[in-house]
Each structure stands twice: as C-alpha cells, then as structure tokens.
C-alpha cells in the first residue's frame, strides 16, 4: 500500500478550524440523503401512495350515490371522488411525513444519528435536513397522485400547479416537523404507531378531508358543535380547504363555505413555522440520560 | 517548557443516572499523541466517560477540557477537532462507502478537491480503496469498522475517540484495527483514546486507565502496572480456601487473599514458593497456577475482585 507519511504529518492533527460547515449546505446534504435512502427502499413508495390511493378508489365508489353536499341540488353536487380528492392528497403528504419520521427513529436505532449529533453544526440544521428531505419526498408523491386529477373535471393551469405544489410543500414541512417532534425521544417505531393512530390519523380525519366541516344551526347537537370547534381549530383544515379551492373554483368550493384562500395560506404557513420551531426545540433539549 | 495543553483534562468529574453513580470524582489527564486505553468491566463508567468526552451527553459536575477547550461552553470547537467512532455502527447501510464519507464530509464543511484528496488518502491508508462503491451493508464487520475510522478521521481531528472499537470483530480484524490505529497515531500524530473491556486489547496502549464502579483504580503504562503487582502471581484452587489462606500466612508469611473462592498471592520468585506450597499442602490443592502478572492481576490487586465478577449483566454502560 502506498502512503506518504512526510506529506501527511503536517496535514493531519492540525484541525481545520477555518473549514467550518455551512449549516444550510449540511441541511441540503442531509435532505439529499433522505431522498437517496428513500429511492433505495421501494416499499416506502408503495406504503405512502398505495393506501391513500386504494382508499380514494374504494370510498369514492362506495359513497358516490349517498354523497350530496349541503345546499346543492340533486345532480349538482360534486361526486365523492371529487370531494375526497384533496383529502387523499393531504393523506399522502401525512403518510410520507410519517414514514420519514419513522426513519428518524431508525437513524437513531441504527446509529447514524449519533455521528450527526457530535458534528459541529447547530441543531436546527440537522432538523431542517430531515424535515426538508421528508417534505420534498411528500411533494413528489403528492405530485404523482395529482396526475389522477385528469380523471376528474378539474382544469389545470401552470399557475395553479405552482400554487398546489407550494401548498403541498408547506403542509408537508409542518407535518414532517410535527412527526419529528413526536418521534425525537422515541426508541421504537411501535410507540410511534400508537401516536399515529390516536393523534395523526384523527388530525387528518377532522380536517375536512373525509367529510365537510359541519355547519352550525339552531338544532345542532353538542357533539356537532364540538366537532365544528375541533375542525375549525385544526390547522390541517385550512390546508385541505386551500387545496379544495385551488383544485375546484366552481360550485364545490362555494357549497362548502370554506375559509378564504388568504386564511388558508396564512394558517398553513404559521403552522409549518410553529411545528418547525417545536421540532428544533425538542431536538435541542438533547440530554438523553441513558444508563 | 511544554505549553501544549493535555489532549484531555478531566477534573472531579461526577455523573449520575438517577441515584446510581456512573462516574465518581474522576480526575485524569491524557497527553497529546498518546494511545490511551480506558479499561474496565461493563458498568464501570467508561461508556459514560466516552459520551461526555464526545459531547453527546451533558456534563453534570466537574470540569472537562478537550484539546484545551472547555466543555460544554466550547463544545462546538471541540466537535470540530475530535473524531468519534461509536460502538454501534454509525454508517448508513443503504449508502455506499463513498456516499457515507461524502455525507460525513458535508457535516464538517469539507468539499471539492480537499474532500477528494482526503477521502483518497484515508481509503488508501485503511485499505478501502477498492470498496468505495460498495453499499455499507455488504461489508464485513472489520471493513465496516475501518470505514467508521475513515469517517471519524475525515476532518483531520487531533483526537480520535473510540468506544469499544473491537466489538464484534474477529481476532484477525482486531489486530488489523490496531495496526491502523497505530499507523494513524504514528503518521498523523493523533491522540487515540479508546474504551475497552478486553484486557489483552488494553495491553497494546501506551497507557491504561483502569476503571471500576465509576472510579479510576489504576493509571500507568501496561508494563509498569504489571510490575506494580510485584512478582509472579499464584492462584490455588482447593477446598476451604479461607483456612488455606490463613495457613499460608502463618507458615510462609504470605499475604494471600481469597478471590472468588480461589486463593491468590504474589511472590517475587514464583517457582520456588510454588514448590514449597505444593509440598506443604499437596493434599488440599486441586490445581495451582503460576503466572507472570497480567492486567487481570492488576485489576484484582486494586479492586479485590476478579475482572468479570461485577456488573457483568449491565451491558448497557
């Protein structure tokens, strides 16, 4: 083996204190690692798109005859397939975010994370890498599903597609950050499955993705009022509403009594920022006292 | 006059997990360029020390300076100048060797021609040049450990910390690893600090710190430690060790001890005393062994019990 000690003596040991990692560049590298790892794991693609797609196909077929939006005439209402399409899109984002978060637990278990944690980088840089990687994957998968929109009476323009992509990215950043904050201290993926069932799925279910936010009337029951309150308070409701409006600017949107598009953008952005800050905050409190 | 600060300067370091004390008032200095082994049975506190030194855990009390920088205030500067090789693998198994190194480089801001040059240097040095395109999961344990070493050395640290680097390696790969570590130390003047629970491994270091239950019980070069035990060590297996021990003291003025049911003592001239003991107590002795003092003898001498008799089941620390 060839080696040249005389050249290396000066080189090693004298730490490159000048060569400081750029946190943004490190984030991008870590995000790229997410995408690379994902592309080598075919099962994750199937998992994230497969189930929402199957849901969409079967629920649409099953509910189609019984579904009519309030305030629309017989024959005027959108089909369930149309109504449920934006919700499915958001479900794909949620699933992708969940899978990328599970990969965080794997990174910890398999040991990769420990070398990142002792690198001279601010903690947010690592969080951003993970979250951005997950969000980009979510947008790519959402985009694949969006191709099915050709089967629905939706008119696309370039500008509309750009807005949909940006909304998907913001929502995914929020969801991935949320997953990150939850998963940070978890040792096993089993615990995360529990959270997913009792928290993340209801978060989606109560976002207007699967059924509209009930409108309040004098005869509303307490349960309906409670549901209304929860759904209004759920930030994801505004992402789904925004998606509805971007996809359908016709009667379907007006029948739903949705918040304005500006509100949808604002809530989605604020939620994403807050979730990201929460994720950074969780990760910075790292003092795992493992005996 | 020597103005270089110690590579590691630990003073009065104490660390607790709840009520259990993992490190108890540790004071220790490691000099630059040393090949230093932290030896102890599982649960002795060496992994806790490793985690504190590698900045992956917060200091509770006491002070630690690494390469002249204080923890935790200057952890960022410490992190830039130390290379860390963890006990559990830190490679991304889905990525190739080259990709793993490139991702590591990004965390330390190394890129462009500097990255290409250093990667090549290290791969050549560690005998990995033909493995760049192989996925990490396809490598053998020994090769993977070498990639870990390359990962830890990529940013040219002045101090390399390794936690149980021989875990999971067969004897051949273990010898290899030590050869590479020595080469890094000799040619690149890196201070190498490693933890180990293997006595024969620690013997290859320049100096050894022996830990037991969170305390430093001995600190010196391996030969000096063994010399401190004083002569040959004799271990007797037989019935009623306590009585035998007493009789040895009465008859030969030997400071024998009962360790885990065996009688053990040291003597400057082992062969001669062995013959006399055999003659006197032949009916009571099942077996008698004479050995040059080993590190295990040092450990027994300092702690009063055998290396593996305590905390064996506490594998996490």
């Amino acid at each position: 083996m060839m080696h040249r000690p005389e050249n290396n003596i000066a080189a090693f040991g004298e730490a490159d204190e000048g060569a400081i990692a750029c946190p943004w560049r490190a984030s991008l590298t870590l995000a790229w690692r997410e995408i690379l790892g994902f592309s080598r794991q075919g099962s994750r693609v199937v998992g994230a798109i497969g189930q929402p797609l199957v849901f969409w196909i079967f629920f649409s077929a099953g509910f189609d005859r019984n579904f009519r939006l309030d305030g629309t005439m017989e024959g005027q209402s959108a089909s369930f397939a149309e109504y449920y399409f934006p919700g499915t899109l958001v479900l794909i984002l949620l699933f992708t975010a969940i899978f990328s978060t599970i990969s965080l637990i794997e990174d910890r278990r398999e040991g990769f994370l420990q070398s990142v944690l002792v690198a001279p980088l601010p903690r947010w840089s690592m969080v951003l890498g993970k979250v951005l990687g997950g969000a980009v994957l979510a947008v790519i998968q959402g985009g694949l599903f969006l191709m099915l929109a050709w089967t629905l009476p939706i008119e696309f323009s370039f500008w509309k597609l750009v807005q949909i992509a940006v909304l998907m990215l913001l929502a995914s950043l929020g969801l991935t950050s949320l997953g990150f904050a939850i998963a940070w201290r978890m040792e096993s993926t089993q615990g995360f499955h529990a959270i997913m069932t009792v928290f993340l799925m209801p978060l989606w279910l109560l976002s207007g993705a699967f059924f509209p936010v009930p409108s309040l009337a004098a005869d509303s029951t307490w349960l309906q009022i409670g549901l209304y309150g929860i759904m209004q308070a759920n930030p994801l409701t505004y992402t789904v509403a925004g998606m509805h409006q971007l996809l359908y600017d016709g009667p379907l949107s007006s029948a739903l009594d949705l918040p304005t598009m500006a509100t949808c953008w604002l809530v989605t952005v604020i939620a994403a920022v807050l979730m990201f800050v929460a994720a950074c905050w969780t990760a910075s409190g790292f003092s795992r006292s493992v005996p | 006059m020597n103005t270089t600060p110690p590579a590691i300067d630990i003073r009065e370091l104490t660390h607790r997990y709840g009520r259990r004390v993992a490190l108890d008032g540790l004071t220790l200095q490691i000099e630059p360029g040393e090949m230093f082994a932290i030896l102890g049975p599982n649960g002795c506190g060496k992994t806790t020390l490793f985690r504190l030194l590698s900045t992956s855990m917060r200091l509770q009390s006491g002070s630690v300076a690494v390469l002249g920088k204080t923890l935790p205030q200057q952890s960022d500067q410490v992190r830039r100048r130390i290379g860390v090789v963890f006990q559990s693998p830190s490679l991304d198994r889905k990525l190739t060797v080259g990709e793993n190194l490139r991702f590591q480089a990004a965390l330390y801001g190394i890129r462009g021609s500097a990255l290409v040059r250093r990667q090549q240097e290290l791969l050549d040095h560690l005998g990995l040049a033909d493995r760049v395109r192989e996925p990490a999961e396809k490598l053998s344990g020994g090769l993977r450990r070498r990639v870990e070493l390359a990962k830890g050395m990529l940013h040219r640290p002045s101090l390399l910390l390794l936690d149980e680097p021989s875990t999971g390696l067969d004897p051949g790969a273990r010898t290899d690893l030590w050869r590479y570590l020595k080469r890094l130390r000799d040619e690149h003047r890196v201070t190498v600090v490693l933890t180990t629970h293997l006595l024969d491994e620690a013997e290859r270091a320049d100096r050894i710190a022996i830990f037991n239950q969170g305390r430093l019980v001995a600190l010196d070069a391996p030969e000096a430690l063994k010399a401190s035990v004083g002569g040959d060590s004799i271990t007797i297996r037989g019935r009623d060790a306590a009585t035998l021990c007493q009789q040895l003291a009465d008859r030969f003025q030997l400071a024998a001890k009962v360790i885990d049911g065996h009688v053990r003592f040291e003597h400057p001239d082992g062969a001669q005393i062995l013959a006399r003991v055999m003659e006197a107590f032949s009916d009571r002795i099942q077996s008698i062994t004479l050995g040059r003092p080993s590190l295990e003898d040092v450990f027994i001498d300092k702690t009063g019990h055998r290396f593996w008799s305590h905390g064996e089941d506490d594998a996490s620390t």
Side-chain angles (χ1 to χ4, degrees):
Chain A
M1 204 186 317
M2 290 285 292
H3 55 90
R4 305 170 304 277
E6 67 278 12
N7 293 343
N8 294 327
I9 283 180
F12 277 80
E14 289 167 15
D16 296 291
E17 283 170 275
I20 296 168
C22 164
W24 296 100
R25 193 182 290 272
S27 297
L28 288 179
T29 311
L30 287 170
W32 177 239
R33 169 184 170 262
E34 290 296 304
I35 295 164
L36 210 56
F38 177 85
S39 69
R40 290 174 193 176
Q41 249 181 312
S43 59
R44 269 175 72 183
V45 188
V46 179
I49 291 202
Q51 193 179 358
L53 181 65
V54 168
F55 276 12
W56 182 65
I57 292 170
F58 288 130
F59 285 147
S60 299
F63 283 133
D64 208 29
R65 290 190 184 185
N66 305 317
F67 182 79
R68 189 154 72 87
L69 289 169
D70 281 351
T72 55
M73 306 293 283
E74 181 76 44
Q76 250 188 10
S77 171
S79 66
F80 189 72
E82 287 173 71
Y83 176 78
Y84 185 43
F85 191 81
T88 310
L89 198 57
V90 173
L91 185 62
I92 288 171
L93 303 184
L94 178 69
F95 271 21
T96 315
I98 288 172
F99 279 119
S100 94
T101 309
I102 287 176
S103 81
L104 173 71
I105 301 174
E106 282 165 3
D107 280 352
R108 184 191 294 296
R109 198 183 53 211
E110 285 172 11
F112 177 80
L113 196 60
Q114 55 193 357
S115 62
V116 180
L117 292 176
V118 298
L121 284 173
R123 210 37 69 79
W124 63 259
S125 154
M126 183 269 291
V127 180
L128 182 64
K130 195 82 195 167
V131 166
L132 190 65
V136 168
L137 286 173
V139 173
I140 292 172
Q141 300 196 64
L144 288 177
F145 179 73
L146 205 57
M147 289 183 196
L148 285 175
W150 301 117
T151 66
L152 300 172
I154 298 173
E155 280 177 34
F156 279 107
S157 66
F158 175 72
W159 175 232
K160 202 187 229 180
L161 279 174
V162 170
Q163 288 184 77
I164 292 173
V166 173
L167 188 63
M168 285 200 292
L169 184 67
L170 287 168
S172 312
L173 284 171
L175 290 170
T176 317
S177 300
L178 174 66
F180 187 105
I182 296 171
W184 180 253
R185 283 178 180 277
M186 287 197 173
E187 298 287 337
S188 73
T189 50
Q190 281 94 333
F192 193 77
H193 285 297
I195 298 274
M196 192 170 99
T197 315
V198 301
F199 180 62
L200 294 176
M201 282 308 284
L203 185 77
W204 171 79
L205 209 53
L206 300 178
S207 67
F210 196 57
F211 54 86
V213 180
S215 46
L216 289 188
D219 60 346
S220 293
T221 62
W222 283 109
L223 192 64
Q224 280 169 331
I225 295 170
L227 195 63
Y228 175 83
I230 292 174
M231 289 177 81
Q232 289 286 341
N234 182 357
L236 207 55
T237 303
Y238 298 85
T239 305
V240 173
M243 210 58 94
H244 264 124
Q245 291 175 75
L246 286 175
L247 285 169
Y248 314 105
D249 25 27
L252 191 138
S253 289
S254 47
L256 284 170
D257 188 24
L258 297 171
T260 65
M261 201 55 216
T263 314
C264 294
W265 281 112
L266 190 68
V267 173
T268 307
V269 169
I270 291 176
V273 170
L274 285 182
M275 289 304 146
F276 182 71
V277 171
C280 292
W281 183 73
T282 319
S284 66
F286 187 79
S287 58
R288 299 164 60 77
S289 295
V290 192
Chain B
M1 200 176 80
N2 186 8
T3 51
T4 322
I8 292 176
D9 190 354
I10 302 167
R11 288 176 200 275
E12 289 301 317
L13 181 65
T14 297
H15 200 92
R16 289 187 178 82
Y17 299 108
R19 287 165 127 189
R20 196 168 75 75
V21 180
L23 284 174
D24 189 3
L26 173 70
T27 296
L28 175 67
Q29 279 80 40
I30 299 173
E31 296 308 318
E34 263 194 297
M35 189 102 170
F36 194 92
I38 297 167
L39 172 71
N42 292 334
C44 71
K46 58 186 187 302
T47 293
T48 300
L49 180 59
F50 172 84
R51 287 199 178 122
L52 290 169
L53 292 175
S54 64
T55 74
S56 37
M57 204 161 60
R58 286 202 184 136
L59 230 58
Q60 288 175 349
S61 77
S63 76
V64 176
V66 178
L67 302 163
K69 312 286 179 199
T70 322
L71 288 179
Q73 292 83 357
Q74 294 172 299
S75 357
D76 220 47
Q77 291 170 58
V78 171
R79 285 175 177 175
R80 252 176 253 151
R81 301 184 60 199
I82 60 170
V84 185
V85 179
F86 294 92
Q87 183 178 356
S88 54
S90 74
L91 297 182
D92 188 327
R93 302 164 65 88
K94 291 274 173 289
L95 303 180
T96 64
V97 170
E99 285 166 340
N100 265 295
L101 292 177
R102 275 200 295 286
F103 283 111
Q104 176 77 1
L107 301 180
Y108 289 83
I110 307 161
R111 56 203 168 89
S113 59
L115 170 60
V116 175
R117 205 175 53 240
R118 286 189 207 183
Q119 183 172 321
Q120 202 50 50
E121 254 170 34
L122 279 168
L123 291 173
D124 284 348
H125 265 82
L126 295 170
L128 291 165
D130 51 343
R131 307 281 181 170
V132 189
R133 286 189 180 78
E134 266 184 66
E137 59 189 349
K138 297 246 166 78
L139 298 179
S140 70
L143 282 173
R144 226 178 277 169
R145 193 56 52 140
R146 273 191 253 163
V147 181
E148 298 270 358
L149 209 54
K151 228 180 119 173
M153 288 296 297
L154 204 54
H155 57 292
R156 297 180 173 168
S158 321
L159 167 67
L160 192 58
L161 289 170
L162 307 100
D163 191 19
E164 304 271 355
S166 309
T167 308
L169 298 189
D170 57 57
R174 200 170 281 177
T175 308
D176 255 12
L177 178 75
W178 272 87
R179 201 160 43 106
Y180 288 118
L181 283 177
K182 284 225 154 77
R183 178 180 286 177
L184 291 175
R185 196 274 307 263
D186 294 342
E187 295 174 7
H188 308 316
R189 289 193 294 188
V190 180
T191 311
V192 178
V193 177
L194 56 92
T195 68
T196 179
H197 63 268
L198 302 170
L199 295 151
D200 55 335
E201 183 167 79
E203 272 190 72
R204 307 184 195 210
D206 301 332
R207 276 205 306 161
I208 307 174
I210 302 182
F211 277 58
N212 184 46
Q213 297 177 333
R215 288 175 168 278
L216 179 65
V217 292
L219 171 67
D220 214 329
E223 288 313 313
L225 281 174
K226 287 188 278 186
S228 76
V229 174
D232 303 328
S233 77
I234 290 140
T235 309
I236 303 172
R237 278 180 56 202
R239 284 170 319 208
D240 195 8
T243 318
L244 185 59
C245 199
Q246 188 57 50
Q247 288 168 338
L248 284 169
D250 294 344
R251 185 144 171 197
F252 299 110
Q253 287 77 49
L254 289 169
K257 288 183 204 154
V258 180
I259 312 268
D260 296 344
H262 303 335
V263 178
R264 204 183 150 282
F265 60 89
E266 282 120 29
H267 196 276
D269 187 354
Q272 180 246 345
I273 193 75
L274 184 132
R276 290 171 61 199
V277 170
M278 268 308 277
E279 197 179 12
F281 302 107
S282 59
D283 53 329
R284 310 266 306 277
I285 294 171
Q286 283 172 353
S287 77
I288 184 162
T289 44
L290 165 72
R292 299 286 309 145
S294 65
L295 284 176
E296 167 133 38
D297 295 314
V298 177
F299 189 83
I300 292 168
D301 192 55
K302 305 286 181 191
T303 65
H305 60 79
R306 290 172 64 84
F307 193 73
W308 284 114
S309 58
H310 279 251
E312 247 171 313
D313 51 354
D314 187 9
S316 64
T317 303

